[in-house]
Amino acid sequence: MKKTQDPLLAEAGTNTRLAHIGHDPSGYHGFVNPPVVHASTVLFPNSSTMEKRSQKYTYGTRATPTTDALCEAFDELEGSAGTILVPSGLAAISVPFLAYLSSGDHALIVDSVYAPCRHFCNTMLTRLGVEIEYYDPEIGAGIEALIKPNTRLIHTEAPGSNTMEMQDIPAITEVAHRHDIVVTMDNTWATPLFFKPLDFGVDVSIHATTKYPSGHSDIVMGSVSANAKHWPKLEEARITLGICGAPDDSYMILRGLRTMGVRLEHHQKSALDIATWLETREDVARVLHPALPNFPGHAIWKRDFKGASGVFSFVLKADAEKAKAKAHAFLDALSFFGLGYSWGGYESLAVPVNLSDRTIRTAPTDGALIRLQIGLEDVADLKKDLEIGFAAAAAV
């Protein structure tokens, strides 16, 4: 149960709220951080209480004070009726899909979706009898033409994974709700600080809390927050599947939330600086960053979003026959940028992007697509590192 919000805190700024949500020190002897409660078995005082389950905690998979603290924090940030914690970002997508979809249903999935989500849809959901159809991320209200009598779910992601397409979320949710379709959104890139999906008509907000809420590349976890209409089914699915978040991980994510606002401002400023710099380079064909005025989806980003995070992509200019070799030379020459998956941590990362699974928004033809995660390092040092990468690519 979400605790009553202090009116002063409700009106406070982002960083003030992040510093105080999710735990009331007076509820545990004044300690600033919530205790880590490890539990499987929870004891009942008598048989009647056990039979009726008439106490707050009944078993470790249902909830603990530690996981509740994190869920309360996300509910405050999302404006949601309830939040579940799951072991990964992919689980944060798959659990709500299983909650809201049944055999014979039709689901519309954005073509720029996180690649493991596509794999889950094309394998397990298809095997379970769910019809999957991918749609153009820029379809907006035109998605109505794809809706069938058995359409039950529309999954959105903005910006899109790797290629950063923006979606007109209010237009899509307005159409979906006229047809009583649940709308889910992967909002990992923006976090609820820069975009609050439920305020724009989304029913279920999904996050890989592995990323910015953690912030230190050492926790794997996901969260799913739902509005009042769709919360009961989500919670029922979590319990039925036996999915839960670990108390230690929940504690670390909650600790990461305290500095997320400060970190995101630095990620945003540095990434935009580097993206703007990349636009001036002859060896860069395009920069894919929603906050850049020249980006096709910039107007939607500016209308709906309060900020941008540290992840974007660019196309390294290259002929088709040399694209892969140039990309490898560029990446292998980097030092401060590590070659690794995920993002949202303090360190910068770079990865080559494979779009072979796309059906609508396919790979660029003007070069090799590279995704950057801009960490907390000094921008001047990151630019020097990228210069070395560009020199290596030019030598191929």
Side-chain angles (χ1 to χ4, degrees):
M1 184 73 68
K2 184 162 53 177
K3 67 177 185 288
T4 302
Q5 179 62 276
D6 182 333
L8 184 65
L9 185 57
E11 298 172 1
T14 296
N15 292 314
T16 303
R17 294 181 67 223
L18 286 172
H20 293 278
I21 59 175
H23 177 57
D24 180 4
S26 65
Y28 196 79
H29 309 293
F31 289 107
V32 172
N33 287 317
V36 180
V37 177
H38 299 100
S40 54
T41 297
V42 178
L43 298 180
F44 298 84
N46 52 58
S47 298
S48 176
T49 304
M50 188 176 197
E51 179 185 9
K52 298 174 183 176
R53 293 179 175 264
S54 54
Q55 65 184 36
K56 183 172 183 179
Y57 298 108
T58 59
Y59 194 71
T61 59
R62 299 297 180 101
T64 71
T66 318
T67 58
D68 271 353
L70 181 56
C71 288
E72 288 172 6
F74 279 123
D75 285 337
E76 292 292 345
L77 293 174
E78 298 274 12
S80 47
T83 293
I84 67 170
L85 304 176
V86 294
S88 69
L90 179 56
I93 297 170
S94 59
V95 171
F97 282 13
L98 293 171
Y100 303 119
L101 291 168
S102 301
S103 179
D105 289 347
H106 173 246
L108 289 166
I109 311 295
V110 65
D111 191 54
S112 54
V113 76
Y114 173 57
C117 172
R118 184 187 296 267
H119 178 73
F120 175 78
C121 291
N122 291 348
T123 55
M124 186 169 288
L125 279 190
T126 300
R127 179 168 58 79
L128 293 176
V130 177
E131 180 187 357
I132 300 297
E133 181 177 354
Y134 295 96
Y135 66 91
D136 191 309
E138 295 178 344
I139 197 170
I143 200 167
E144 189 154 27
L146 302 180
I147 291 175
K148 301 179 180 182
N150 63 332
T151 304
R152 297 289 178 265
L153 181 145
I154 296 174
H155 182 62
T156 65
E157 181 178 344
S161 283
N162 298 314
T163 43
M164 313 305 290
E165 296 92 346
M166 292 302 302
Q167 292 196 256
D168 191 337
I169 300 298
I172 291 172
T173 59
E174 194 277 329
V175 168
H177 292 159
R178 281 196 275 110
H179 295 269
D180 197 26
I181 296 168
V182 61
V183 180
T184 59
M185 179 176 179
D186 186 333
N187 191 44
T188 302
W189 183 86
T191 82
L193 302 191
F194 290 157
F195 186 80
K196 291 180 66 172
L198 274 61
D199 286 355
F200 290 82
V202 172
D203 300 300
V204 180
S205 178
I206 293 166
H207 292 277
T209 58
T210 305
K211 310 300 198 286
Y212 291 115
S214 167
H216 294 80
S217 303
D218 54 3
I219 300 292
V220 178
M221 182 179 267
S223 69
V224 191
S225 302
N227 59 20
K229 179 178 179 180
H230 296 282
W231 165 243
K233 270 194 173 182
L234 179 65
E235 174 69 344
E236 179 188 24
R238 181 190 73 83
I239 292 172
T240 301
L241 291 166
I243 301 287
C244 59
D248 288 290
D249 292 346
S250 298
Y251 176 89
M252 294 298 289
I253 296 292
L254 190 58
R255 189 166 76 164
L257 281 181
R258 306 307 183 195
T259 61
M260 186 169 73
V262 177
R263 287 185 284 105
L264 272 173
E265 287 298 329
H266 190 93
H267 286 298
Q268 173 176 228
K269 181 180 178 181
S270 298
L272 194 54
D273 185 330
I274 291 174
T276 303
W277 172 71
L278 288 174
E279 278 195 312
T280 68
R281 296 190 61 90
E282 290 295 325
D283 38 16
V284 173
R286 283 179 291 142
V287 180
L288 310 181
H289 191 311
L292 293 176
N294 294 330
F295 187 73
H298 176 71
I300 290 177
W301 173 84
K302 190 173 182 179
R303 182 193 71 188
D304 295 343
F305 284 60
K306 294 180 178 179
S309 66
V311 178
F312 68 95
S313 300
F314 73 94
V315 179
L316 178 65
K317 189 181 295 183
D319 295 333
E321 63 273 11
K322 287 189 175 182
K324 185 174 181 179
K326 280 184 173 288
H328 281 200
F330 173 87
L331 293 166
D332 290 348
L334 300 176
S335 297
F336 292 130
F337 284 86
L339 306 186
Y341 295 109
S342 196
W343 38 270
Y346 55 85
E347 79 292 4
S348 292
L349 300 170
V351 293
V353 177
N354 181 358
L355 300 180
S356 61
D357 60 345
R358 295 283 185 91
T359 57
I360 300 171
R361 291 302 178 101
T362 53
T365 57
D366 47 351
L369 186 62
I370 294 173
R371 188 187 74 194
L372 300 178
Q373 129 84 3
I374 306 302
L376 301 180
E377 302 94 337
D378 293 312
V379 167
D381 295 323
L382 295 178
K383 286 181 179 178
K384 289 178 184 177
D385 200 23
L386 292 171
E387 288 274 18
I388 294 170
F390 284 119
V396 173

